[in-house]
Amino acid sequence: MDKQAKDALYKETMQGNFPTLNLENVEATFNSLYNDRQGMFERGILNIFKNLTWDYKTNQPAKFGKKIILDYIFNSKYGNFNYGRNIDAIDDLDRALHILDSKPEPDYNSRITSKMRTANGQGESEIESSYFYAKWYLKGSCHLTFKRMDLIEKMNKVL
């Protein structure tokens, strides 16, 4: 699920609005997620782009460029790093790049933000994936420099 779908599910469950746990409901939920996978893929890319701030010169107003800067990735509170409200955007971006590269999506335990959290716990502030370099700062922003511009062009076509 993309960030928007996860947020909606979380909100529904926190309000106590969830179906009875039975085989039919589980099958219906997974069928719904499977059938909406293209929509979630496109929505994930669009939401990443919509959440870019134009305060940074590298964030282009009409397309993804070689580098983007995402705000509110980390929330520095009481001297500890806690995830910010946009951390799922990096997972959505990594998932989209995997799909566009015809590679299997990373599973939950090997997602890029898990690797970022591990690196951060070791005192590091940058990580490299197959698709980008990521460097994050105490103010909560994360700079992503893309390695594969062919995939970025495909993402721009989705926009």
Side-chain angles (χ1 to χ4, degrees):
M1 285 191 280
D2 66 324
K3 180 183 182 329
Q4 186 174 336
K6 284 181 205 173
D7 290 347
L9 178 64
Y10 179 77
K11 182 179 178 182
E12 288 293 314
T13 56
M14 289 295 104
Q15 293 174 348
N17 300 331
F18 45 89
T20 306
L21 184 60
N22 59 37
L23 182 60
E24 294 81 25
N25 288 339
V26 171
E27 286 177 344
T29 299
F30 279 102
N31 283 333
S32 173
L33 289 171
Y34 181 78
N35 291 332
D36 192 31
R37 68 190 183 280
Q38 183 65 29
M40 283 190 280
F41 166 74
E42 292 173 358
R43 187 175 60 220
I45 291 174
L46 184 60
N47 285 337
I48 292 164
F49 186 76
K50 285 184 352 185
N51 284 328
L52 292 177
T53 178
W54 309 125
D55 294 340
Y56 303 107
K57 292 179 184 179
T58 58
N59 292 347
Q60 300 177 25
K63 65 179 184 173
F64 288 104
K66 172 98 173 127
K67 180 179 180 178
I68 62 172
I69 300 173
L70 298 167
D71 278 335
Y72 306 110
I73 297 300
F74 289 102
N75 180 16
S76 181
K77 187 175 184 180
Y78 308 116
N80 296 322
F81 253 170
N82 299 311
Y83 282 124
R85 67 178 186 217
N86 286 334
I87 192 72
D88 288 332
I90 294 178
D91 282 330
D92 288 349
L93 180 63
D94 190 49
R95 187 179 314 110
L97 292 168
H98 274 82
I99 291 169
L100 292 170
D101 197 23
S102 302
K103 303 279 189 218
E105 298 176 41
D107 67 14
Y108 183 79
N109 293 323
S110 63
R111 67 190 196 278
I112 192 72
T113 54
S114 294
K115 294 174 184 176
M116 290 173 74
R117 183 178 192 165
T118 300
N120 190 65
Q122 296 170 348
E124 299 172 15
S125 62
E126 56 188 81
I127 193 169
E128 180 178 354
S129 78
S130 302
Y131 302 109
F132 52 80
Y133 300 97
K135 182 164 178 61
W136 54 93
Y137 298 88
L138 284 174
K139 70 178 190 169
S141 66
C142 183
H143 297 221
L144 300 174
T145 305
F146 297 109
K147 295 178 174 182
R148 300 265 317 267
M149 290 310 293
D150 60 320
L151 298 178
I152 301 310
E153 289 304 318
K154 289 180 181 180
M155 280 195 343
N156 285 331
K157 287 180 183 177
V158 171
L159 291 179

